[in-house]
Amino acid sequence: MSVAPVHASVLSFENARRAVEEHAANVHPSVVETVSLLDADRRVLAEPIFADRDIPPFPRSTRDGYAVRSVDLSKVPAALDVIGEIKAGVEEFNIPGALQAGEAVSIMTGAPVPAGADAVVMIEYTDRHGDRVEITKKVVPGENLVPRAAEAKKGSVLIDRGVRLNEPGIALAASVGKSQLEVYRRPRLAVLTTGDEIVAIDATPGPTQIRNSNSYSLAAQIRRAGGEAVLLPIAPDESRALKKLIQEGLAADLLIMTGGVSMGRYDLVEQVLSEMAAGFFFTGAKIQPGRPVVFGRCRADAQSSEASGTYFFGLPGNPVSTMVTFELFVRPMLEALAGQSAQPLRFLHSRLKREIRIKPGLTRFLPANLTGDFEKSEIELVAWQGSGDIAAVARANCYAVIPPDREIMPAGDWIAVLMP
Ligand code: AMP
Ligand code: MG
């Protein structure tokens, strides 16, 4: 069988990322499942969460003190009549009606501000003598209270579908009584590592063999990004066996391969995919580490049309390249398959501790350490032996992003930081 040549396209980092984002925009999850709120952290909502009533449902005092009419305090100190007390959670107020001129009500944080009152004076500015209270500080209307429905109106959307839940989202769901939530099923990602030198982690490697670390770092990244990893057997650098495993992997929601995508004689991944009539959207990105990264789409039953079927990524086998290219390219596709609305790649910024000199031409994501406290953070590259150096990346806590057009970045320069 003649092998169709892979049309190589090496894109800039931005264009490669955009290509993934464009495909991800057309990907949608189909399966919905119900989870209890306690299991909902990091899950993606498949239903919007609505306010079941106004929030707050009453004008809520934010302080312990006295509910007053602000006009009564146009001159201070002022003495007011205390006509009652309102505790949080009490349904029947022990006050006759709306607050009248010259009256105040003792009130607790979280309690409803009574009709007639338009502000709350903090207890710190008051002095109580029996049924009278002396107030030493003016208030403006609305001070120390949250008006009814100021946070949300009954029936409004509090969190939309497509949002990955975190603790504020869980608190909101709890606050409207959602003990069960509809979420999207986690996408299943097949992980296929390739290479004759790669052995299982419980094997004793021969002198030139390497244990398979990539499948495990990928499984961790996949899980953290909201997917489920299915580890396939290690594929040898041999076309037929590789093809069988690729076909198996294409049954998943997304196939991630590592290794075998460089220019070496036994880097067969692209060739085998090409035989299977895969479509390639790019076969490299101008980045370091991770230049040989491949993105495409292929049908397990082969032959037919290009660019249909399951999306796949071929990630370079060097462990740091695998980790970086996952974050840059696989993550947006995984998130789309998980039902999450599109997330732009976000960077922090920090100042360089030491000058960097580097050859231009590639966008670089170099293992680095962000240190310092909240007022003065600094970033410094970690010494490394290149993209095979797992120990170096394990010593780092982030990646410093070097744009492709910079040769020298002086100490003190602002630099983008990718937090994995
Ligand atoms: P490749 O992309 O196949 O040329 O592999 C590049 C480098 O990454 C080689 O040194 C491989 O031994 C190493 N490598 C490939 N796959 C893995 C893996 N699953 N775990 C650890 N190292 C790997
Ligand atoms: Mg290899």
Side-chain angles (χ1 to χ4, degrees):
M1 181 181 183
S2 75
V3 175
V6 175
H7 178 69
S9 59
V10 179
L11 306 183
S12 69
F13 162 64
E14 286 83 357
N15 287 341
R17 169 81 190 192
R18 202 163 301 134
V20 177
E21 286 174 347
E22 280 170 14
H23 285 277
N26 295 317
V27 156
H28 302 287
S30 50
V31 184
V32 170
E33 58 194 29
T34 303
V35 293
S36 90
L37 189 54
L38 277 174
D39 296 322
D41 187 38
R42 314 303 299 156
R43 300 303 301 266
V44 179
L45 273 178
E47 59 170 343
I49 293 186
F50 297 101
D52 64 333
R53 54 181 184 158
D54 287 343
I55 307 179
F58 48 78
R60 180 177 68 211
S61 175
T62 61
R63 303 289 181 191
D64 293 322
Y66 290 87
V68 298
R69 293 155 24 100
S70 54
V71 291
D72 289 349
L73 302 179
S74 51
K75 279 207 191 84
V76 285
L80 302 178
D81 292 328
V82 181
I83 60 159
E85 181 187 271
I86 301 176
K87 277 171 56 182
V90 170
E91 263 178 55
E92 296 289 328
F93 304 165
N94 55 351
I95 58 169
L99 214 61
Q100 304 297 314
E103 293 179 347
V105 168
S106 167
I107 196 166
M108 316 293 153
T109 300
V113 175
D118 66 352
V120 171
V121 184
M122 288 167 71
I123 198 148
E124 287 85 340
Y125 303 110
T126 67
D127 196 5
R128 178 84 174 258
H129 305 282
D131 286 348
R132 301 274 288 170
V133 62
E134 192 183 63
I135 295 175
T136 54
K137 192 168 180 280
K138 294 180 181 184
V139 281
V140 295
E143 199 166 329
N144 298 325
L145 66 85
V146 180
R148 176 173 178 157
E151 294 166 8
K153 285 214 181 329
K154 178 177 177 170
S156 65
V157 173
L158 297 173
I159 321 175
D160 218 337
R161 67 162 67 82
V163 169
R164 188 177 293 285
L165 285 167
N166 54 8
E167 58 275 24
I170 286 172
L172 259 181
S175 75
V176 299
K178 291 287 287 183
S179 57
Q180 307 275 310
L181 297 173
E182 291 201 343
V183 298
Y184 293 112
R185 198 201 68 187
R186 292 190 176 95
R188 297 199 177 93
L189 276 68
V191 176
L192 176 57
T193 204
T194 73
D196 284 339
E197 78 282 27
I198 310 299
V199 296
I201 55 170
D202 46 8
T204 306
T208 58
Q209 291 179 321
I210 307 269
R211 288 198 184 92
N212 171 19
S213 63
N214 285 345
S215 294
Y216 294 88
S217 57
L218 280 171
Q221 288 177 290
I222 289 167
R223 188 168 303 173
R224 209 180 307 147
E228 260 174 42
V230 181
L231 304 195
L232 296 176
I234 298 166
D237 292 322
E238 188 273 306
S239 298
R240 276 183 51 184
L242 183 57
K243 181 174 176 184
K244 263 197 82 189
L245 287 167
I246 288 176
Q247 279 169 329
E248 204 177 309
L250 289 169
D253 296 314
L254 182 62
L255 168 61
I256 306 184
M257 294 159 282
T258 81
V261 291
S262 312
M263 297 301 283
R265 216 168 135 194
Y266 296 100
D267 289 323
L268 301 173
V269 166
E270 282 166 68
Q271 194 188 311
V272 168
L273 282 160
S274 166
E275 280 174 23
M276 297 173 69
F280 291 89
F281 308 121
F282 56 77
T283 57
K286 291 178 189 150
I287 58 171
Q288 188 222 7
R291 196 174 201 278
V293 59
V294 173
F295 172 44
R297 201 168 186 188
C298 187
R299 292 168 62 97
D301 53 14
Q303 285 113 41
S304 60
S305 65
E306 285 206 349
S308 64
T310 308
Y311 285 103
F312 64 81
F313 288 91
L315 309 183
N318 266 314
V320 186
S321 308
T322 308
M323 293 178 218
V324 168
T325 49
F326 179 94
E327 287 303 320
L328 299 179
F329 304 116
V330 180
R331 186 184 262 274
M333 183 56 80
L334 193 171
E335 288 174 347
L337 288 163
Q340 193 175 3
S341 51
Q343 306 293 307
L345 195 57
R346 289 196 185 91
F347 300 100
L348 308 179
H349 288 83
S350 178
R351 287 182 189 276
L352 264 184
K353 197 163 172 181
R354 277 180 234 289
E355 179 187 271
I356 296 178
R357 284 167 182 266
I358 213 142
K359 228 176 93 189
L362 301 175
T363 306
R364 295 178 202 259
F365 300 85
L366 304 180
N369 265 312
L370 187 64
T371 56
D373 59 26
F374 66 98
E375 286 210 323
K376 188 168 186 288
S377 76
E378 284 184 317
I379 186 167
E380 184 174 24
L381 299 185
V382 166
W384 71 329
Q385 303 299 319
S387 54
D389 191 347
I390 309 176
V393 77
R395 283 195 301 274
N397 61 15
C398 64
Y399 298 100
V401 186
I402 321 280
D405 55 349
R406 297 292 297 276
E407 231 163 323
I408 301 179
M409 300 194 72
D413 242 24
W414 285 99
I415 183 171
V417 182
L418 178 69
M419 300 300 291

